[in-house]
């Protein structure tokens, strides 16, 4: 996720510092980005700079000091609350306000992260959809502590990197995951109850105008990720039955059939 | 004990005629289907709620029955019963149809807000009844889910398939369950979007934008609800809740409020959006 964000920011003219604590990641990142740059030039709706220039705009580093004086920090580390809080607290001094802190978390509480920083009014969420460089949407997540000016600035910047934004109050699942839940969840229930088999269900949705059926989509996202997403909404809502995950998903994860990435989910993916 | 349908209909399915149709239900659902059937060469007749007969005469040239008392004056090959939200009207309608129709006439009934098993419980010949679920608006339907009950006879299913294919609507067989797959899922989606709106998580345009861009939903959920009709969404949610007794099917208060105030969507001029 981090490389995709760095890439699209650089391609739209920003000077980017790409920080990762792990040297291996930092070594591999330029290659990964180079590979994706050309593809995004083809796909983008805003004019993008050529690959070489864009890549030159990114400084890769394992030193947090190199991030000093950044105007916008977009954090996309592993989805662990402690890690995110620790990173922002280390940056609190190095990047004083009016610098803005945005977390790219897809399911953690932005409010919890913000409240642990020294200036919570400058913290918000920027929820990029996968693949971050190409998907048009960014959810801007506002906490009770976020300043309006922070939201406006982030919205403006997201527009400059070619994203459409929606403003969402920090809440379980934000908008996209929360509303993916009934779609994927009811499809799972229909399968579990024997209303129809998964390929029939997918075909029904495709005929109704969906690009993919729900089971294709789950295989694509990864069943572990779908389950984690669903689980986090359920937990955050004090286990409201409305959001209860389906046991079928858990069984498939236990079996190691996680979707496309593991060669088998609801469908089989030979030689991938 | 009634005689099994497949014994009465001792014919191969392709020989069941599907020409003379009776379409019963509210005008806005009946007319588009009657138009499609007519275009495909069938002969539709309409059975409408009494208060809609007058305005229907101005809107359509299809034959309109004067009242349910006259059902028995005709021979019909196939009947579609399309009441959706008003379950009482639906039960009445099925009762009349069963009474007036010849024993071999299949009845296809919308089971979007109720299970077929509930609906046919008091009928004398549940064998001839098949549940169907289609996502409104009816004029743009591409697929219908066919729900066979525990007792539905095979020829009825085959007749239904042939009929929908003849008017260029695909069919998929699913088990008897309120709303089948598509209607159930889409209504749950709209219901959740209504809850997000009620909680003021985001504005309505942002809710719709997020789902159209972030996921591949063909419509934003709130605009979709307006097109389907919020009264129908509510009826489907209530049907699911009654059937499963699960919290996930609680109807969102905002949705109920809109419906109670007559803001049922595009056809009413106002739903989540104004038209």
């Amino acid at each position: 996720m981090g490389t995709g964000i760095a890439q699209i920011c650089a391609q739209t003219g920003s000077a980017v510092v790409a920080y990762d604590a792990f040297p291996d990641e930092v070594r591999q990142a330029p290659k990964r980005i180079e590979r994706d740059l050309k593809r995004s030039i083809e796909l983008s709706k805003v004019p993008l700079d050529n690959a070489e220039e864009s890549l030159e705009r990114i400084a890769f580093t394992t030193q947090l000091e190199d991030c000093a004086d950044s105007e916008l920090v977009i954090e996309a580390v592993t989805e662990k609350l402690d890690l995110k809080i620790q990173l922002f607290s280390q940056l609190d001094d190095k990047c004083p306000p009016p610098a803005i802190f945005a977390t790219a978390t897809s399911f953690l509480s932005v409010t919890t992260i913000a409240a642990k920083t020294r200036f919570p009014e400058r913290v918000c969420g920027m929820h990029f959809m996968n693949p971050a460089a190409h998907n048009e949407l960014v959810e801007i997540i506002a906490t009770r502590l976020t300043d309006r000016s922070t939201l406006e600035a982030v919205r403006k910047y997201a527009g400059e990197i070619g994203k459409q934004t929606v403003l969402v109050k920090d809440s379980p699942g934000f908008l996209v995951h929360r509303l993916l839940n009934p779609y994927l969840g009811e499809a799972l229930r229909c399968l579990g109850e024997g209303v129809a088999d998964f390929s029939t269900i997918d075909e029904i949705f495709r005929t109704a105008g969906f690009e993919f059926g729900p089971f294709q989509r789950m295989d694509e996202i990864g069943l572990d990720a779908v389950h984690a997403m669903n689980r986090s909404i359920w937990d955050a809502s004090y286990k409201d039955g409305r959001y209860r995950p389906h046991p079928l998903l858990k069984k498939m994860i236990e079996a190691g059939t996680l979707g496309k990435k593991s060669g088998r989910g609801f469908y089989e993916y030979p030689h991938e | 004990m009634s005689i099994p349908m497949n014994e009465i209909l001792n014919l191969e399915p392709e020989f069941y005629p599907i020409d003379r149709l009776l379409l019963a239900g509210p005008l806005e659902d009946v007319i588009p289907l009657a138009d499609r059937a007519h275009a495909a060469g069938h002969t539709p007749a309409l059975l409408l709620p009494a208060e809609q007969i007058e305005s229907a005469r101005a809107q359509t040239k299809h034959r309109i029955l004067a009242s349910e008392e006259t059902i028995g004056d005709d021979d019909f090959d196939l009947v579609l019963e399309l009441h959706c939200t008003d379950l009482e009207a639906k039960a009445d309608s099925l009762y009349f149809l069963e009474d007036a129709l010849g024993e071999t006439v299949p009845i296809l009934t919308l089971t979007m807000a109720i299970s077929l098993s509930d609906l046919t419980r008091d009928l004398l010949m549940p064998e001839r009844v098949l549940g169907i679920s289609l996502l409104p608006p009816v004029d743009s339907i591409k697929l219908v889910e066919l729900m066979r009950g525990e007792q539905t006879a095979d020829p009825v299913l085959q007749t239904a398939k042939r009929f929908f294919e003849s008017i260029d609507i695909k069919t998929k067989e699913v088990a008897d369950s309120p709303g089948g797959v598509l209607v159930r899922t889409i209504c749950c989606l709209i219901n959740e979007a209504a809850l997000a709106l009620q909680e003021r998580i985001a504005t309505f345009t942002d809710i719709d934008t997020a789902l159209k861009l972030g996921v591949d939903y063909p419509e934003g959920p709130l605009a979709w609800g307006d097109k389907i009709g919020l009264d129908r969404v509510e009826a489907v949610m209530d049907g699911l809740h009654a059937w499963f007794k699960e919290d996930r099917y609680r109807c969102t208060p905002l949705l109920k409020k809109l419906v109670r105030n007559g803001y049922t969507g595009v056809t009413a001029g106002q739903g989540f959006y104004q038209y």
Side-chain angles (χ1 to χ4, degrees), chain A residues 4-5 8-9 12 40 44-46 126-140 154-166, chain B residues 213:
Chain A
I5 299 172
I8 193 67
C9 293
T12 46
S40 55
S44 174
K45 294 199 174 154
V46 293
M126 278 182 98
H127 182 209
F128 289 81
M129 310 295 127
N130 251 329
H134 308 139
N135 190 296
E136 252 184 283
L137 182 77
V138 172
E139 289 185 274
I140 311 282
V154 170
R155 228 176 168 168
K156 184 160 169 280
Y157 183 71
E160 286 167 16
I161 62 170
K163 304 297 183 189
Q164 287 230 38
T165 57
V166 292
Chain B
L213 294 180

Side-chain angles (χ1 to χ4, degrees), chain B residues 167-178:
Chain B
I167 60 169
D168 204 22
I169 293 177
K170 283 192 197 176
T171 59
K172 281 280 169 200
E173 259 181 85
V174 304
D176 169 27
S177 184

Side-chain angles (χ1 to χ4, degrees), chain A residues 109-122:
Chain A
S109 162
V110 179
T111 309
T112 306
I113 296 168
K116 297 280 187 187
T117 66
R118 202 173 339 142
F119 308 104
E121 61 277 9
R122 62 152 154 181

Side-chain angles (χ1 to χ4, degrees), chain B residues 37-70:
Chain B
H38 179 75
H42 304 301
T43 312
L46 317 183
L47 178 62
L48 301 165
E51 70 277 10
Q52 287 188 331
I53 291 179
E54 199 69 17
S55 65
R57 289 225 162 89
Q59 285 180 43
T60 178
K61 291 202 171 90
H62 302 303
R63 193 159 70 86
I64 299 168
L65 299 196
S67 75
E68 55 252 314
E69 321 292 332
T70 65

Side-chain angles (χ1 to χ4, degrees), chain A residues 84-93 101 116-117:
Chain A
K84 290 178 187 283
I85 291 168
Q86 192 196 354
L87 183 72
F88 279 134
S89 69
Q90 289 170 332
L91 287 169
D92 252 335
D93 289 331
F101 286 0
K116 297 280 187 187
T117 66

